[in-house]
Amino acid sequence: MKTRKLLFVTVLLLLAGHTGFAQQKLSLEEAISTALKNNYDIRLVNNEVQIAKNNINPGNAGMLPKLTADYSRGGSNQNTVQTQASGTERRTDGARSTNQSYGASLGWTIFDGLQMFANYDRLKELQKLGEVNAKGTVIATVADVINGYYALVRQQQLVMATDTALDISRMRLTIAKNKLEIGRGSKLDVLSATVDYNADTSLYLQQKNVLRTNMVTLNQVMARDLNLVFEVDQTMKIERDLNYTELSGLAQQLSPALQAAFINKKIAELSLKQVKGQRYPTVGLNSGYEFSNSTSPTGFNTQFRARGFTYGVTASLNLFNGFLQRQNERNAKVQINTTELNLEKARQDINAQLLSAYQNYLTNLDLLKVEQTNVNIAKQNLDITLEKYRLGSISPLELREAQRNSITAITRFLDAQYQAKLTEISLKEISGTLNIQ
């Protein structure tokens, strides 16, 4: 009776969602928080967003003037021969000349066909694109964490279920040995019970190994010590009231894939503006200050020095460049059409993924109800069979069959529960509604 009570309590704890492990507890919220802080993919994409943010400035768009400082110094040492008109030759050996100049120059393009403004807007859109991509990476990472977490929940319960089956096999082996000792059993029953006990021990060890492997995988997603051993919750709460129409509407607004496709379309339109801007003249202002000094013992002037300001206006207009302007504009328009097609394709892909996931979600909820019923029936059957076996009214083979049915029912129930949770997560990930806090 003591063994039967132990079995009942263990199965009850399994189905009620309580834990029997002694490791440190890790909640789902803590796992998500750790991943958001440590995950390498998130940190890398955040660096890309920061670069895109840094690039948004008027100077990078070509709106601001450029000021440069220049300095040069040089000289020569030559042997020269000068023949004058009178025929007189003048020879100089080791004639040394020097030159030196320094100054500052300012250049400012004040009009380029509005290309600079289009470029500035393009830089802003690139930052938005980076932020959307970062959001997509965060959502995907959080989905991986949740999937990995509930894979551990499922596997932890499977370990408990196989441990319960092992207890029953251990009890059966003990009873078979006791019967053999008092002359009421047979050696065959002991051998059969030993084989089944060893098989259940092997299955238990395999399930524990899968549990440890799943821990390593979750630690990897969280980017922390892979050797950390921990315990997760035993409950797997599933939302059963997700609405397809609501999710579809939210996906059109929140899906990172759709947002990225829309931003790419705007970037293509701004690129066309930049190309068209090349049809207009480019006007620039320039100014500067320069000081120069040179010496030449063989020249007309032995020393020259000058300093002062320079200024001016430059303008240029592309009149003909081998029809490249027309070609570039055509290509830019084709690129806009490509981004429009990508946007429509993204919408269709999102709708198809969402519809398929929702159909799987409804099916898995129905399967979960069926498997829940099967677990209850299998448990009752096992309790009755176990009591009959203790009384000696049924054979070990019947007990083994009831034991197998029980572990199979629990496994199928846990699988159905896990698959229902996965489809719930998938629906939220596709629609962009997955909670990342």
Side-chain angles (χ1 to χ4, degrees):
M1 181 62 67
K2 181 178 180 182
T3 304
R4 184 173 181 271
K5 288 183 178 179
L6 176 62
L7 169 64
F8 176 80
V9 171
T10 304
V11 174
L12 182 62
L13 290 177
L14 172 63
L15 297 178
H18 298 288
T19 179
F21 291 85
Q23 290 88 10
Q24 181 180 2
K25 187 74 170 289
L26 176 70
S27 67
L28 177 60
E29 292 75 15
E30 291 171 339
I32 293 175
S33 176
T34 302
L36 291 176
K37 180 168 49 177
N38 296 340
N39 183 267
Y40 292 110
D41 290 335
I42 293 178
R43 291 162 67 183
L44 288 171
V45 77
N46 284 338
N47 285 345
E48 295 177 1
V49 172
Q50 186 60 46
I51 291 175
K53 184 178 181 180
N54 294 339
N55 287 338
I56 301 178
N57 60 80
N60 198 31
M63 295 180 176
L64 300 181
K66 295 181 180 179
L67 178 64
T68 59
D70 302 296
Y71 175 80
S72 66
R73 182 182 179 88
S76 64
N77 195 320
Q78 298 177 335
N79 297 325
T80 64
V81 178
Q82 294 178 315
T83 302
Q84 300 178 351
S86 61
T88 303
E89 288 187 352
R90 180 184 175 185
R91 295 178 176 270
T92 304
D93 295 330
R96 184 177 180 182
S97 300
T98 62
N99 59 79
Q100 177 181 252
S101 66
Y102 58 84
S105 59
L106 176 70
W108 189 3
T109 300
I110 60 174
F111 181 78
D112 63 352
L114 305 180
Q115 295 181 63
M116 63 180 72
F117 296 100
N119 190 30
Y120 189 70
D121 291 337
R122 179 175 174 273
L123 292 175
K124 291 181 179 179
E125 294 301 322
L126 286 174
Q127 181 194 0
K128 293 179 182 178
L129 181 61
E131 292 173 348
V132 167
N133 290 335
K135 178 184 175 183
T137 300
V138 169
I139 291 178
T141 301
V142 171
D144 290 341
V145 171
I146 299 176
N147 290 342
Y149 189 89
Y150 284 113
L152 269 174
V153 172
R154 167 184 171 275
Q155 193 59 38
Q156 202 165 260
Q157 293 178 342
L158 279 175
V159 170
M160 295 177 66
T162 53
D163 187 36
T164 300
L166 187 59
D167 287 340
I168 297 175
S169 295
R170 185 184 296 110
M171 179 205 67
R172 175 187 160 199
L173 178 59
T174 300
I175 292 176
K177 288 181 178 180
N178 291 338
K179 286 183 177 181
L180 180 62
E181 290 178 358
I182 63 177
R184 294 180 57 189
S186 66
K187 182 68 173 178
L188 181 61
D189 289 341
V190 174
L191 294 176
S192 177
T194 302
V195 170
D196 291 339
Y197 174 76
N198 290 338
D200 290 342
T201 301
S202 176
L203 179 60
Y204 173 72
L205 294 175
Q206 292 175 24
Q207 296 292 358
K208 286 190 66 177
N209 180 66
V210 174
L211 177 66
R212 186 68 187 92
T213 301
N214 288 349
M215 283 187 188
V216 173
T217 301
L218 185 55
N219 281 330
Q220 180 183 12
V221 177
M222 292 188 292
R224 65 177 194 171
D225 187 358
L226 300 178
N227 294 309
L228 287 178
V229 179
F230 54 92
E231 170 199 347
V232 296
D233 294 331
Q234 288 299 315
T235 56
M236 194 180 298
K237 298 179 181 179
I238 301 173
E239 295 186 32
R240 302 172 183 266
D241 56 351
L242 295 179
N243 183 275
Y244 173 77
T245 303
E246 293 179 1
L247 291 173
S248 179
L250 291 172
Q252 303 303 316
Q253 305 173 25
L254 303 177
S255 171
L258 286 179
Q259 291 177 346
F262 181 74
I263 293 174
N264 280 324
K265 178 177 176 293
K266 293 184 66 176
I267 292 175
E269 292 170 349
L270 290 171
S271 296
L272 177 60
K273 285 185 178 181
Q274 284 183 281
V275 173
K276 286 185 175 181
Q278 297 173 7
R279 288 182 174 273
Y280 298 93
T282 300
V283 181
L285 302 177
N286 59 78
S287 179
Y289 176 84
E290 183 178 6
F291 171 84
S292 61
N293 182 29
S294 63
T295 60
S296 178
T298 60
F300 182 78
N301 297 317
T302 58
Q303 186 174 10
F304 175 81
R305 180 181 297 175
R307 69 177 66 192
F309 290 96
T310 60
Y311 55 87
V313 177
T314 61
S316 63
L317 176 63
N318 176 28
L319 298 178
F320 179 74
N321 62 351
F323 302 110
L324 291 179
Q325 179 66 30
R326 184 175 62 181
Q327 171 189 305
N328 293 337
E329 289 183 12
R330 288 176 175 175
N331 289 341
K333 291 178 181 178
V334 171
Q335 185 61 36
I336 291 176
N337 180 256
T338 298
T339 57
E340 290 173 346
L341 293 175
N342 284 333
L343 179 59
E344 292 303 317
K345 182 178 181 298
R347 284 199 179 100
Q348 187 179 47
D349 291 344
I350 291 296
N351 291 334
Q353 294 171 14
L354 195 64
L355 181 58
S356 297
Y358 192 75
Q359 290 174 344
N360 292 334
Y361 168 73
L362 295 178
T363 301
N364 288 329
L365 289 181
D366 291 337
L367 289 174
L368 184 57
K369 294 178 183 178
V370 174
E371 298 303 338
Q372 177 68 71
T373 302
N374 286 339
V375 166
N376 296 332
I377 295 174
K379 176 186 175 299
Q380 295 177 22
N381 181 60
L382 179 60
D383 288 343
I384 295 172
T385 304
L386 183 61
E387 185 62 27
K388 287 185 177 182
Y389 177 75
R390 290 176 58 83
L391 297 175
S393 60
I394 63 172
S395 65
L397 184 60
E398 292 177 278
L399 173 61
R400 184 62 177 175
E401 184 64 22
Q403 185 183 8
R404 287 175 177 172
N405 290 339
S406 177
I407 192 67
T408 299
I410 292 175
T411 301
R412 289 171 56 183
F413 167 73
L414 294 176
D415 288 344
Q417 191 180 47
Y418 181 58
Q419 290 302 320
K421 190 64 181 179
L422 288 185
T423 50
E424 174 200 321
I425 298 169
S426 179
L427 282 172
K428 293 181 178 180
E429 181 182 5
I430 295 171
S431 61
T433 59
L434 187 65
N435 186 9
I436 61 177
Q437 300 299 325

